[in-house]
Amino acid sequence: MNILVTGGAGFIGSAVIRYLINETEHHVLNVDKLTYAGNLESLISVSDHARYHFVQADICDHASLTRLFSEFQPDVVMHLAAESHVDRSIDSPAEFIHTNIVGTYTLLEVSRKYWQNLSKIEKSSFKFHHISTDEVYGDLDGITDLFTETTPYLPSSPYSASKASSDHLVRAWHRTYGLPVVVTNCSNNYGPYHFPEKLIPLMILNALDGKPLPVYGNGRQIRDWLFVEDHACALYRVATEGLVGETYNIGGHNEKQNIDVVKTICKILDELKPRLNGQTYESLITFVNDRPGHDLRYAIDASKIERELGWKPQESFETGLRKTVEWYLNNLEWCHRVQDGSYQRESLGEAV
Ligand code: NAD
């Protein structure tokens, strides 16, 4: 198949493309604007492959997308391009509205026109896979509640509201125009090639520099963590075997309080790279004002994808986190280069 991936130079998109090139025979076109979050270096291991192609383009650019669809003739679109960082969405929401909502609308329109002109057989096998987040559901009150595919949407941040909007657009294009879509909503990802503004890489890199480890509020917020390569595998499963019109929640069955995530990172670093001053990394933890609108708890019920498509995560949080810390220790050059001097791991939200 020809698989068009948007946002393939990002954290999850690059894991998807590495998976598609290494584990399948499909041809891949990576369409990415290369914002601060997009790094072609994350794709170096596959970029010379004959089945891999890259075009720098904006998903809001109707004309470029139309031309790319016509040239590449995709069988499947995997749509990951987005502005993805909650703190940035609090500081400057405009780009989130533009890329996540207008960009998804533009991609849907181009996909619809392209799909309508396919032959009957091609039409029936085409699929538009929209990749979204569990943050659209808002947060959970109870300790045992889980987000299911039918949980009502209640987004809290400009980021999650923009993703919720895009999910609604995708489902409307299915209901109104018959475009064959599948939607996935996934929990927090972590793993190699994660841009250093996100919690786990931020903590690893700050710790190695002996800088404070800023934890929002009391650190008791609960997130469900999924290793990015498990997510890439799940996305491929849904893109190829998911039923049209369906939504699949994807999660790691790893609910952790943020403070425990940070303490676990510190313990792994104490073991792998002890501090020269003999102190523990945990002594660097500093509590900072909470993020405005901070959701308390997310937890995913991922039983549908396991039951219907036979997918479940391979990594436990312990094994995945150790792999991640080891990866960062071995790839500090990548971190320095992607940061490019313009981002120095400062906190971007109001809560500093
Ligand atoms: P990321 O920020 O690492 O990557 C986003 C990519 O999109 C970058 O390569 C960027 O250059 C590209 N991009 C941004 N605007 C674009 C535009 N207008 N046109 C074309 N390309 C553009 O994000 P990520 O963490 O890899 O997330 C990918 C997708 O998965 C997003 O849609 C996000 O909402 C969703 N998601 C992320 C998580 C997570 O934990 N990171 C969890 C669930 C869902």
Side-chain angles (χ1 to χ4, degrees), residues 10-56:
F11 168 49
I12 302 172
S14 65
V16 168
I17 291 181
R18 291 191 300 273
Y19 181 89
L20 290 172
I21 295 299
N22 293 329
E23 307 294 332
T24 79
E25 296 298 316
H26 305 305
H27 290 255
V28 177
L29 174 62
N30 176 11
V31 178
D32 196 299
K33 183 180 170 183
L34 297 184
T35 67
Y36 79 96
N39 299 291
L40 290 177
E41 204 176 334
S42 309
L43 290 159
I44 248 166
S45 63
V46 295
S47 55
D48 287 338
H49 202 287
R51 287 186 284 110
Y52 171 77
H53 314 276
F54 167 70
V55 172
Q56 183 170 5

Side-chain angles (χ1 to χ4, degrees), residues 215-218 221 288-294 350-352:
V215 174
Y216 280 132
N218 60 11
Q221 308 86 356
V288 298
N289 291 339
D290 209 350
R291 172 192 272 167
H294 209 171
E350 187 184 292
V352 181

